[in-house]
Amino acid sequence: MPVIIKTPDEIQKMRVAGKLAADVLDMIGEHVRPGVSTDELDRICHDYIVNEQQAVPAPLNYRGFPKSICTSVNHQVCHGIPGSKVLKDGDIVNIDVTVIKDGFHGDTSKMFTVGKPSILAQRLIDVTHKALWTGIELVRPGCRLGDIGHAIQTFVEAQGYSVVQEYCGHGIGRGFHEDPQVLHYGTPDTGISLQAGMTFTIEPMVNAGRRNVKLLPDGWTVVTKDRKLSAQWEHTILVTDTGFDVLTLRRDEQPAQFG
Ligand code: MF3
Ligand code: CO
Ligand code: CO
């Protein structure tokens, strides 16, 4: 399928959806603390999206996914299903929020620490965040997807960590997962060339140990094979005439701090 170039009107709707998704992550932060269950986090996000934002939580019933957000704890890589698991001091958790507003999707995720994280956990989180922004800052018309994947992979591996290859970023718009696939590894000067009006996610999953993952019998939860920690951050990005816009920027984030 071709990559859909969004019109100015569609881009405006993507901005609204992206802002709402970011707002959910800003809202949930104070609730992520020892003793809370991932089900409670799901319920709070669901009610906020539906009642406050008058939007739709995209994961709910997506290909049979049973909840409104993904919560991936410690060695869980992505697509963790909220449940009775209670967060404890030292845990790390990725919360992945996707909302649909006025027919368009905004998709973003963030790492949270519960109580006091280990030095390793904090470093993994920081490296993964920097990997995301290493990719984002390359985005402009003419940049090729292989350049982005290569930059992310090179950065992560230089830190002694590994990039998960089975899951990737994706085009996004009226569809949750549109073309192109945005790999977080790759070869420079390969892949499609970016054009203004494209919207896609970058969402690297970085493992403290080996890159290998396995799918749990629930059909959704992806975990590291070696049971070492994994981290992920995600933004929805617009290609502009001169570079990029991050459509899911949060309160706690300013691009200047990464420049
Ligand atoms: N939000 C995830 C992504 O970044 C997709 C979750 S699909 C679900 O693409 F069904 F698990 F919610
Ligand atoms: Co995504
Ligand atoms: Co997501």
mmCIF file of all heavy atoms in Angstrom, residues 9 19 31 37 54 60-61 65 86 90 92 99 111 120 129 141 156 170 185 195 198 219:
data_model
loop_
_atom_site.group_PDB
_atom_site.id
_atom_site.type_symbol
_atom_site.label_atom_id
_atom_site.label_comp_id
_atom_site.label_asym_id
_atom_site.label_seq_id
_atom_site.Cartn_x
_atom_site.Cartn_y
_atom_site.Cartn_z
ATOM 1 N N ASP A 9 -5.893 19.787 6.205
ATOM 2 C CA ASP A 9 -7.037 19.526 7.080
ATOM 3 C C ASP A 9 -6.832 18.242 7.891
ATOM 4 O O ASP A 9 -7.130 18.179 9.087
ATOM 5 C CB ASP A 9 -8.299 19.419 6.210
ATOM 6 C CG ASP A 9 -9.529 19.129 7.046
ATOM 7 O OD1 ASP A 9 -9.849 19.968 7.908
ATOM 8 O OD2 ASP A 9 -10.143 18.060 6.860
ATOM 9 N N LYS A 19 -2.134 15.496 20.424
ATOM 10 C CA LYS A 19 -2.145 16.241 21.688
ATOM 11 C C LYS A 19 -2.946 15.492 22.758
ATOM 12 O O LYS A 19 -2.530 15.417 23.926
ATOM 13 C CB LYS A 19 -2.741 17.635 21.437
ATOM 14 C CG LYS A 19 -2.993 18.473 22.665
ATOM 15 C CD LYS A 19 -1.680 18.956 23.280
ATOM 16 C CE LYS A 19 -1.869 20.132 24.236
ATOM 17 N NZ LYS A 19 -2.619 19.766 25.452
ATOM 18 N N HIS A 31 -0.392 8.656 38.978
ATOM 19 C CA HIS A 31 -1.026 7.406 39.426
ATOM 20 C C HIS A 31 -0.058 6.224 39.387
ATOM 21 O O HIS A 31 -0.362 5.153 39.913
ATOM 22 C CB HIS A 31 -2.241 7.089 38.563
ATOM 23 C CG HIS A 31 -3.302 8.143 38.616
ATOM 24 N ND1 HIS A 31 -4.194 8.243 39.659
ATOM 25 C CD2 HIS A 31 -3.582 9.168 37.775
ATOM 26 C CE1 HIS A 31 -4.999 9.276 39.441
ATOM 27 N NE2 HIS A 31 -4.642 9.860 38.307
ATOM 28 N N SER A 37 -2.365 -1.267 40.437
ATOM 29 C CA SER A 37 -2.362 -2.370 39.467
ATOM 30 C C SER A 37 -2.432 -1.790 38.052
ATOM 31 O O SER A 37 -2.919 -0.668 37.842
ATOM 32 C CB SER A 37 -3.560 -3.301 39.690
ATOM 33 O OG SER A 37 -4.756 -2.648 39.327
ATOM 34 N N GLN A 54 -13.627 12.813 25.124
ATOM 35 C CA GLN A 54 -14.620 12.385 24.110
ATOM 36 C C GLN A 54 -13.922 11.791 22.880
ATOM 37 O O GLN A 54 -14.220 12.129 21.733
ATOM 38 C CB GLN A 54 -15.541 13.546 23.719
ATOM 39 C CG GLN A 54 -16.767 13.632 24.628
ATOM 40 C CD GLN A 54 -16.696 14.819 25.554
ATOM 41 O OE1 GLN A 54 -16.330 15.905 25.128
ATOM 42 N NE2 GLN A 54 -17.044 14.622 26.815
ATOM 43 N N LEU A 60 -8.589 -0.830 22.411
ATOM 44 C CA LEU A 60 -9.719 -1.620 22.908
ATOM 45 C C LEU A 60 -10.423 -2.322 21.745
ATOM 46 O O LEU A 60 -10.965 -1.665 20.847
ATOM 47 C CB LEU A 60 -10.690 -0.699 23.664
ATOM 48 C CG LEU A 60 -11.823 -1.377 24.428
ATOM 49 C CD1 LEU A 60 -11.288 -2.359 25.477
ATOM 50 C CD2 LEU A 60 -12.719 -0.330 25.088
ATOM 51 N N ASN A 61 -10.365 -3.646 21.786
ATOM 52 C CA ASN A 61 -10.950 -4.518 20.750
ATOM 53 C C ASN A 61 -10.192 -4.484 19.414
ATOM 54 O O ASN A 61 -10.667 -5.048 18.431
ATOM 55 C CB ASN A 61 -12.434 -4.180 20.503
ATOM 56 C CG ASN A 61 -13.250 -4.330 21.769
ATOM 57 O OD1 ASN A 61 -13.045 -5.281 22.527
ATOM 58 N ND2 ASN A 61 -14.141 -3.394 22.025
ATOM 59 N N PHE A 65 -7.575 -7.136 21.111
ATOM 60 C CA PHE A 65 -6.903 -6.669 22.341
ATOM 61 C C PHE A 65 -7.982 -6.252 23.342
ATOM 62 O O PHE A 65 -8.912 -5.537 22.988
ATOM 63 C CB PHE A 65 -5.964 -5.491 22.026
ATOM 64 C CG PHE A 65 -5.040 -5.137 23.168
ATOM 65 C CD1 PHE A 65 -3.891 -5.881 23.409
ATOM 66 C CD2 PHE A 65 -5.331 -4.069 24.016
ATOM 67 C CE1 PHE A 65 -3.030 -5.565 24.457
ATOM 68 C CE2 PHE A 65 -4.480 -3.745 25.065
ATOM 69 C CZ PHE A 65 -3.330 -4.494 25.282
ATOM 70 N N VAL A 86 0.355 -5.881 40.309
ATOM 71 C CA VAL A 86 0.526 -4.672 41.128
ATOM 72 C C VAL A 86 1.966 -4.188 40.999
ATOM 73 O O VAL A 86 2.911 -4.967 41.163
ATOM 74 C CB VAL A 86 0.168 -4.968 42.600
ATOM 75 C CG1 VAL A 86 0.562 -3.807 43.495
ATOM 76 C CG2 VAL A 86 -1.328 -5.272 42.736
ATOM 77 N N GLY A 90 10.840 -0.049 42.299
ATOM 78 C CA GLY A 90 11.922 -0.506 41.420
ATOM 79 C C GLY A 90 11.460 -0.976 40.054
ATOM 80 O O GLY A 90 12.285 -1.161 39.153
ATOM 81 N N ILE A 92 9.931 -0.790 36.277
ATOM 82 C CA ILE A 92 9.791 0.200 35.193
ATOM 83 C C ILE A 92 8.630 -0.257 34.319
ATOM 84 O O ILE A 92 8.410 -1.445 34.140
ATOM 85 C CB ILE A 92 11.085 0.372 34.368
ATOM 86 C CG1 ILE A 92 11.480 -0.929 33.648
ATOM 87 C CG2 ILE A 92 12.228 0.838 35.277
ATOM 88 C CD1 ILE A 92 12.654 -0.763 32.660
ATOM 89 N N VAL A 99 -5.130 7.182 20.877
ATOM 90 C CA VAL A 99 -6.513 7.666 20.862
ATOM 91 C C VAL A 99 -6.938 7.942 19.424
ATOM 92 O O VAL A 99 -6.109 8.242 18.550
ATOM 93 C CB VAL A 99 -6.696 8.942 21.715
ATOM 94 C CG1 VAL A 99 -6.181 8.722 23.133
ATOM 95 C CG2 VAL A 99 -6.036 10.141 21.081
ATOM 96 N N MET A 111 8.170 5.771 29.255
ATOM 97 C CA MET A 111 8.598 4.938 30.379
ATOM 98 C C MET A 111 8.352 5.671 31.698
ATOM 99 O O MET A 111 8.673 6.853 31.824
ATOM 100 C CB MET A 111 10.090 4.612 30.285
ATOM 101 C CG MET A 111 10.494 3.750 29.115
ATOM 102 S SD MET A 111 9.674 2.136 29.025
ATOM 103 C CE MET A 111 10.216 1.365 30.547
ATOM 104 N N LEU A 120 20.894 0.580 36.414
ATOM 105 C CA LEU A 120 20.786 -0.009 35.074
ATOM 106 C C LEU A 120 19.454 0.346 34.430
ATOM 107 O O LEU A 120 19.396 0.713 33.253
ATOM 108 C CB LEU A 120 20.914 -1.543 35.113
ATOM 109 C CG LEU A 120 20.588 -2.160 33.745
ATOM 110 C CD1 LEU A 120 21.799 -2.165 32.826
ATOM 111 C CD2 LEU A 120 19.963 -3.526 33.813
ATOM 112 N N HIS A 129 15.290 6.659 25.343
ATOM 113 C CA HIS A 129 14.716 7.980 25.044
ATOM 114 C C HIS A 129 15.603 8.721 24.042
ATOM 115 O O HIS A 129 15.117 9.322 23.068
ATOM 116 C CB HIS A 129 14.578 8.772 26.348
ATOM 117 C CG HIS A 129 13.838 10.053 26.195
ATOM 118 N ND1 HIS A 129 14.425 11.282 26.362
ATOM 119 C CD2 HIS A 129 12.548 10.298 25.865
ATOM 120 C CE1 HIS A 129 13.509 12.230 26.145
ATOM 121 N NE2 HIS A 129 12.366 11.667 25.859
ATOM 122 N N PRO A 141 12.178 16.109 4.649
ATOM 123 C CA PRO A 141 11.987 15.592 3.294
ATOM 124 C C PRO A 141 13.326 15.147 2.698
ATOM 125 O O PRO A 141 14.340 15.836 2.857
ATOM 126 C CB PRO A 141 11.414 16.797 2.534
ATOM 127 C CG PRO A 141 10.735 17.610 3.584
ATOM 128 C CD PRO A 141 11.612 17.470 4.799
ATOM 129 N N VAL A 156 22.251 2.806 19.840
ATOM 130 C CA VAL A 156 21.889 1.857 20.903
ATOM 131 C C VAL A 156 23.004 0.839 21.122
ATOM 132 O O VAL A 156 23.395 0.548 22.271
ATOM 133 C CB VAL A 156 20.562 1.145 20.554
ATOM 134 C CG1 VAL A 156 20.342 -0.075 21.443
ATOM 135 C CG2 VAL A 156 19.389 2.117 20.670
ATOM 136 N N HIS A 170 5.377 2.867 12.453
ATOM 137 C CA HIS A 170 4.394 2.686 11.386
ATOM 138 C C HIS A 170 3.779 4.006 10.973
ATOM 139 O O HIS A 170 3.628 4.915 11.793
ATOM 140 C CB HIS A 170 3.273 1.757 11.888
ATOM 141 C CG HIS A 170 2.732 2.155 13.247
ATOM 142 N ND1 HIS A 170 1.649 2.990 13.399
ATOM 143 C CD2 HIS A 170 3.160 1.881 14.501
ATOM 144 C CE1 HIS A 170 1.433 3.187 14.691
ATOM 145 N NE2 HIS A 170 2.334 2.539 15.395
ATOM 146 N N TYR A 185 16.311 -0.308 12.887
ATOM 147 C CA TYR A 185 17.645 -0.767 12.506
ATOM 148 C C TYR A 185 17.700 -0.639 11.000
ATOM 149 O O TYR A 185 16.640 -0.477 10.359
ATOM 150 C CB TYR A 185 17.875 -2.231 12.944
ATOM 151 C CG TYR A 185 16.933 -3.204 12.289
ATOM 152 C CD1 TYR A 185 17.292 -3.899 11.132
ATOM 153 C CD2 TYR A 185 15.660 -3.400 12.801
ATOM 154 C CE1 TYR A 185 16.416 -4.777 10.513
ATOM 155 C CE2 TYR A 185 14.770 -4.265 12.187
ATOM 156 C CZ TYR A 185 15.144 -4.942 11.057
ATOM 157 O OH TYR A 185 14.266 -5.799 10.434
ATOM 158 N N GLN A 195 8.599 12.468 2.598
ATOM 159 C CA GLN A 195 7.995 13.641 1.949
ATOM 160 C C GLN A 195 7.152 14.398 2.967
ATOM 161 O O GLN A 195 6.550 13.778 3.850
ATOM 162 C CB GLN A 195 7.047 13.210 0.826
ATOM 163 C CG GLN A 195 7.689 12.536 -0.360
ATOM 164 C CD GLN A 195 6.617 12.026 -1.310
ATOM 165 O OE1 GLN A 195 5.641 12.708 -1.603
ATOM 166 N NE2 GLN A 195 6.802 10.808 -1.796
ATOM 167 N N MET A 198 3.803 13.313 5.339
ATOM 168 C CA MET A 198 3.767 11.948 5.881
ATOM 169 C C MET A 198 3.667 12.019 7.409
ATOM 170 O O MET A 198 4.267 12.904 8.034
ATOM 171 C CB MET A 198 5.043 11.185 5.512
ATOM 172 C CG MET A 198 5.140 10.817 4.050
ATOM 173 S SD MET A 198 6.671 9.886 3.765
ATOM 174 C CE MET A 198 6.496 9.538 2.020
ATOM 175 N N GLY A 219 -1.020 -14.283 23.584
ATOM 176 C CA GLY A 219 -1.115 -13.833 22.196
ATOM 177 C C GLY A 219 -0.734 -12.382 21.975
ATOM 178 O O GLY A 219 -0.717 -11.912 20.825
#
